[in-house]
Amino acid sequence: MEYRHIKIPTTGEKITVANGQLKVPDQPIIGYVEGDGIGPDITKACLRIWDAAVTKAYGGKRKIHWCETYLGEKAAGLYDGNYCPDETLKVLQDLVVSIKGPLTTPVGGGFRSLNVALRQDLDLYACVRPVRHYAGVPSPLKAPGKVDVVIFRENTEDVYAGIEYKSGTPENEKVAKFLKQEMGAKFFEGAGIGIKPISAFGSKRLVRMAIQYAIDNGRESVTLVHKGNIMKFTEGAFRNWGYEVAREEFGNVTITEEQLYNEYKGKQPEGKIVIKDRIADIMFQMMLLRPDEFDVLATPNLNGDYLSDSVAAEVGGMGIAPGANISDNCAVFEATHGTAPKYANLNKVNPGSLLFSGVMMLEHMGWKEAADLITLVYPEVVSDGIVTYDFARQIDGATEVGTSQFADALIERINGGVDLDTKRRAQQELLAKERKQREIRRLLQPMEEMVDTGRVPHTVGDLMTHSLMTVSDTESVEQAMHTMTDNNVSSVVVEPNAAGEWGILTRRDIVTKVVRNNKSPASLKVKDIASRPLFSVPAETSIHEAATILADKGYSRVTISQGDKIIGIVTETDIFNAVEKYGAAITE
Ligand code: NAP
């Protein structure tokens, strides 16, 4: 296609996508949009840093051939006032990978936000925001280094679908009448109405991308963040569809958190990613209290909007948070802040957000060595106190430098030689150590860990006591009673008899079968009074089902089986404690 203003470099080759896989030549052509306001300052600085990192990492074998494309004010100047020319949308699609600075959305005049236009026209369905802390960056947290998550926010559905009816309009009245009269809905007269569509298609493609990212980047878990306890058929469905994708398309490399606790006793098997879910409000707490428990997050649109900014703020990263909007065959990386017009052309602002969006871009292309060079030298420069004005005002004794001087300092470090291997090894050792500590905590205190990491129990497997007290048939009842007293339990599981049947002996049995019958505990054997066969259920039985069984059968405990083994026990007290702690969420 002939472009009016865009000049595709004659050197370099286009990146392509085949069968969902990116094919990146050594000399790729990559699109960039300079952006408005501070855009030119940060873009100029970042292009130099990215190029320096690529040259250093690959010794000249690889090189990016940049292709300038136009959006925003620069586009308006070139394309007769058009802020979002068709040929730019076309070229971004054609080049597959691009990066853009911040853009001004003109106020009034019926303009669509440029970012919304890009998202919709290129169907960029995932907004991806990695959030991690860099040493030296000011943060309100005590241990910001524990934050290292990548948030995948669904970008096309939810309350952002734009299906809204303003109070007082005929459309609103029509929808309200339908909802009240035909659907039996109840709400106040004249309420504004918004619709929240969340589909299996939209949810699954987002979660699929998040899981694939976790696999490609050796991440430990993917957490589905939802408000399904309240919005069952939208947010709850998102969670269910997420688990479905994991099970059906990634079954050989994923396990659920339930399996982690119940089948693997808290020890994460090598090569498996844990799929878990958290209720959105709990997730906000967790990202402050136990951020290291989380890795890749997948979430519907609105939760993702709040969460991305709040987590970025935790690590002092609002000004340096990177982002990207991605589809299956096109990715646009972007600075997440605005155009800060008062600083335009002053060579003053922090290039961090765009810089790290470029790091994400290099990682997306598989150019990890170049990406790592930047992420490893960045904290060194900042820790030396060489920072732009925004960090300088938060760090005592810092040296304030301009945007281009900050870029110079980074490039000097990159060219000065960085021992990537040693730094990477140290990072991996730290990750392995932290992972081991989490495993030990899960192993030793499963219930406490569940509470502390914000997990809501849903099955008997989540609640069960693992360390079972067992006695044998041939022991005296007196001995079995000592076992119960010494371990402060009200029942013991009886090992299988010759017929292979497990049994149970409870304190109630002592009252009804020993004391009431005037027998001596010393003269009776366990087999004389134990109840057989034992009624047990699989670990995945829901708490609601278990409660129904206990109520219907008049039992006060149920044992948990795996094949022909008994692996745990859940009592009325366990269920009572869980309801007391989590409320109705445990049966949802
Ligand atoms: P903004 O441009 O993000 O600026 C708000 C404040 O954030 C600045 O005054 C500055 O704080 C700080 N800041 C932003 N970028 C910085 C950087 N690189 N380095 C250091 N500090 C930085 O938000 P806004 O003023 O609300 O929006 C201005 C324009 O940007 C609007 O036209 C809006 O539509 C557009 N916008 C575009 C995007 C986008 O394209 N992705 C996103 C948001 C907004 P101090 O004043 O404290 O120094």
Side-chain angles (χ1 to χ4, degrees), residues 169-403:
T169 61
E171 292 80 9
N172 174 288
E173 278 160 25
K174 198 169 168 184
V175 175
K177 191 169 158 205
F178 168 74
L179 288 173
K180 285 185 173 177
Q181 292 183 358
E182 297 196 33
M183 306 302 289
K186 290 194 175 74
F187 48 87
F188 290 126
E189 204 54 41
I193 297 173
I195 307 278
K196 177 184 175 82
I198 290 194
S199 69
F201 173 74
S203 305
K204 285 185 168 185
R205 66 178 179 173
L206 188 269
V207 176
R208 186 178 296 121
M209 190 188 274
I211 296 178
Q212 191 59 54
Y213 176 91
I215 294 170
D216 294 343
N217 293 278
R219 293 285 187 149
E220 229 176 287
S221 66
V222 175
T223 305
L224 309 167
V225 183
H226 60 89
K227 193 74 188 147
N229 54 334
I230 305 296
M231 293 169 272
K232 293 187 174 48
F233 306 127
T234 49
E235 302 253 338
F238 173 88
R239 173 196 60 206
N240 296 343
W241 286 319
Y243 278 119
E244 209 172 294
V245 166
R247 200 170 52 241
E248 291 175 359
E249 300 179 27
F250 300 95
N252 54 343
V253 284
T254 60
I255 57 168
T256 62
E257 198 173 25
E258 273 158 28
Q259 288 175 299
L260 174 68
Y261 277 93
N262 300 337
E263 284 174 34
Y264 299 95
K265 304 256 183 303
K267 185 168 165 47
Q268 186 160 348
E270 213 43 58
K272 301 268 189 198
I273 290 161
V274 177
I275 310 294
K276 49 191 177 183
D277 74 282
R278 291 291 183 274
I279 294 174
D281 40 311
I282 294 179
M283 194 63 215
F284 279 84
Q285 296 174 35
M286 286 302 120
M287 283 311 301
L288 288 166
L289 302 173
R290 293 285 285 266
D292 52 332
E293 296 286 342
F294 301 95
D295 216 335
V296 174
L297 311 179
T299 171
N301 212 336
L302 184 61
N303 300 332
D305 189 2
Y306 299 151
L307 201 57
S308 317
D309 282 359
S310 114
V311 181
E314 283 182 19
V315 291
M318 276 307 284
I320 62 162
N325 290 302
I326 301 181
S327 75
D328 293 330
N329 40 31
C330 181
V332 180
F333 296 81
E334 64 176 5
T336 56
H337 54 69
T339 56
K342 64 183 177 186
Y343 295 125
N345 304 316
L346 296 181
N347 183 36
K348 184 171 175 75
V349 295
N350 193 335
S353 176
L354 189 65
L355 177 67
F356 288 115
S357 301
V359 168
M360 270 177 91
M361 181 183 79
L362 293 167
E363 286 170 349
H364 183 73
M365 290 159 56
W367 290 17
K368 194 161 169 23
E369 298 76 11
D372 282 355
L373 269 178
I374 298 171
T375 51
L376 291 173
V377 299
Y378 180 86
E380 290 184 3
V381 173
V382 174
S383 297
D384 280 356
I386 302 171
V387 290
T388 45
Y389 83 96
D390 50 324
F391 282 3
R393 66 189 173 190
Q394 300 176 67
I395 304 174
D396 285 341
T399 310
E400 181 182 328
V401 295
T403 313

Side-chain angles (χ1 to χ4, degrees), residues 480-491:
M481 288 171 72
H482 289 325
T483 306
M484 285 193 224
T485 311
D486 292 348
N487 294 287
N488 194 23
V489 292
S490 58
S491 63

Side-chain angles (χ1 to χ4, degrees), residues 114-130:
L114 287 173
N115 294 319
V116 173
L118 279 183
R119 244 180 6 237
Q120 290 177 345
D121 292 358
L122 302 178
D123 192 26
L124 304 170
Y125 64 81
C127 173
V128 186
R129 295 273 199 99

